[in-house]
Amino acid sequence: MPTDRICNWWFDHRAAWRAPAALILLAGTLALIVVGFATMPEPQPALFPGNGDVALYRRITDRLHNGQPYYEAAVEEHRTTGYPLRPFLTVRPPLLADILAMLPGDGGRRLALLTLAAATFAAWAFRLSRRGLHPVRYCAALLLLAVGIAPAFLAEAEPVHEVWAGLLIALSLVLRRQEAWFASVVIATLAALLRELAAPYLLVMAAVALAEQQRKEAAAWFAGFAIFTAALMLHAATVNGLVTPADRLSASWVRFGGWPFVMQASEWALLGPLFPRWLVPALVPLALFGFTAWRGALGRRLALTVGGYVVGFLCFGRADNSYWGLMIAPLLPLGLLATWPALRRCLGDLRAGRRSRPAAGLAA
């Protein structure tokens, strides 16, 4: 069925779905809040304690800075400290370490990360300023942006791949426009080369471009994913050529941790440093609910990106992987900006029970 016929069918019949959809959204949000409070996990340790994974990545970078090849340094550090080397995904891709090793010490590395964080904040601030938001709402948007970017300003954040990749995803998303998407694709591909967890974002953007019949743009996103795939295969071949059966095998990442793991990821990566812990089970469902009121091309991509990662976190990730939430840390708070419009729209749909003028959402 052609796309225009599907759209016409939807607009002809959507009135009948408004009230049931609103009820499902409200009930689902309330259920997630209740489940979150009932299953709230134990407090997480300090975000970047200066040991563990952070110390491992820092030592590898220092070895590169002193002239040692990446894979030799990474394998030696993994073995020396008892980190697993199998499967190959336990070893991070080399790009971030290569970049950091070229910078002048900890100060230069921190400056590079803060520059990326500032650029991401400025790009989003400018994009939102063009939407004609009320000054109070715009100030709230800037505060929420600051909350999401805050992990980049914490001590020991520079070696953490997820911090860089999350900022790059946010920057790619805000820079993308229908008439100008090349820079967005390049930045997103860079994010995937830094951390393979960013690759699903490339597929989300390609799928939305296809749905909007933007074939050239979709091809570019798929090309970015192909570049990532080729780099990942090369990475796998290199690591597998250096490991032995005696090297430690990592535990599976398929854990089906469900909503408790989503709470862990959100607390560690986003809200924990700035809000009381008990607010997390309420704020995260409300943020996800708010994304239903974001509109336009940016709103669709924002909601699908955050929602896609949340669905992934339901299935993948161990308790010690909760820092994966940093992948969507700059984006998740933005849902709170539209929570009230989403609530107004749902309540209006429930009252009307028929097609009516949509409540004002957040234009994007």
Side-chain angles (χ1 to χ4, degrees):
M1 183 181 293
T3 303
D4 56 345
R5 291 181 60 190
I6 295 176
C7 293
N8 290 336
W9 181 90
W10 166 250
F11 284 113
D12 289 342
H13 294 83
R14 62 177 179 169
W17 294 93
R18 281 183 177 273
L23 183 61
I24 291 172
L25 280 174
L26 289 171
T29 301
L30 180 60
L32 289 179
I33 292 174
V34 172
V35 170
F37 279 108
T39 62
M40 192 169 180
E42 293 298 318
Q44 295 295 305
L47 186 58
F48 305 133
N51 52 33
D53 292 0
V54 174
L56 173 69
Y57 304 145
R58 186 178 294 278
R59 288 194 302 270
I60 293 173
T61 300
D62 290 340
R63 283 175 176 252
L64 267 66
H65 186 71
N66 294 327
Q68 189 174 10
Y70 173 77
Y71 285 102
E72 178 183 322
V75 169
E76 287 183 7
E77 284 293 341
H78 275 246
R79 284 184 180 140
T80 301
T81 55
Y83 273 78
L85 278 167
R86 297 182 297 143
F88 71 93
L89 291 172
T90 59
V91 179
R92 293 286 185 267
L95 183 57
L96 180 60
D98 287 337
I99 294 173
L100 295 180
M102 293 186 293
L103 299 176
D106 291 341
R109 298 166 190 173
R110 183 162 183 78
L111 178 60
L113 178 59
L114 296 184
T115 300
L116 175 60
T120 303
F121 181 90
W124 273 96
F126 176 78
R127 185 76 178 266
L128 292 174
S129 72
R130 309 279 288 184
R131 308 316 304 177
L133 297 177
H134 186 278
V136 174
R137 201 174 184 189
Y138 182 65
C139 290
L142 296 183
L143 177 61
L144 292 170
L145 282 171
V147 169
I149 293 173
F153 289 81
L154 299 177
E156 305 291 339
E158 308 90 72
V160 181
H161 297 71
E162 289 79 5
V163 174
W164 292 84
L167 289 171
L168 289 170
I169 287 175
L171 183 60
S172 166
L173 187 60
V174 75
L175 291 181
R176 185 268 166 199
R177 289 178 173 82
Q178 181 174 344
E179 69 280 2
W181 40 258
F182 181 78
S184 177
V185 174
V186 171
I187 292 171
T189 304
L190 176 61
L193 294 175
L194 289 177
R195 185 67 166 106
E196 64 277 2
L197 290 178
Y201 169 72
L202 292 167
L203 295 179
V204 167
M205 297 295 278
V208 178
L210 278 179
E212 295 176 347
Q213 298 185 350
Q214 303 293 328
R215 294 184 178 85
K216 289 184 179 179
E217 181 185 351
W221 287 107
F222 282 123
F225 187 80
I227 292 172
F228 155 76
T229 302
L232 187 64
M233 292 174 63
L234 178 61
H235 175 66
T238 306
V239 174
N240 290 336
L242 295 174
V243 302
T244 68
D247 287 316
R248 183 180 168 189
L249 177 66
S250 175
S252 173
W253 291 288
V254 183
R255 291 301 178 94
F256 298 98
W259 195 246
F261 182 73
V262 174
M263 292 295 96
Q264 282 186 312
S266 301
E267 177 188 358
W268 189 307
L270 180 57
L271 303 176
L274 298 174
F275 291 95
R277 216 177 151 256
W278 58 267
L279 285 176
V280 174
L283 290 178
V284 175
L286 290 175
L288 296 177
F289 175 67
F291 283 122
T292 64
W294 276 77
R295 297 182 181 180
L298 176 60
R300 284 191 295 273
R301 288 164 172 82
L302 177 60
L304 288 173
T305 297
V306 175
Y309 275 99
V310 168
V311 171
F313 293 157
L314 294 173
C315 304
F316 300 96
R318 305 186 300 261
D320 59 342
N321 299 137
S322 55
Y323 58 88
W324 287 3
L326 289 161
M327 300 296 299
I328 54 172
L331 301 177
L332 183 56
L334 294 173
L336 295 170
L337 186 62
T339 298
W340 175 243
L343 180 60
R344 286 170 51 199
R345 185 197 62 193
C346 284
L347 293 177
D349 289 343
L350 287 175
R351 285 194 302 266
R354 58 183 174 79
R355 186 174 182 178
S356 60
R357 187 178 63 180
L362 181 65

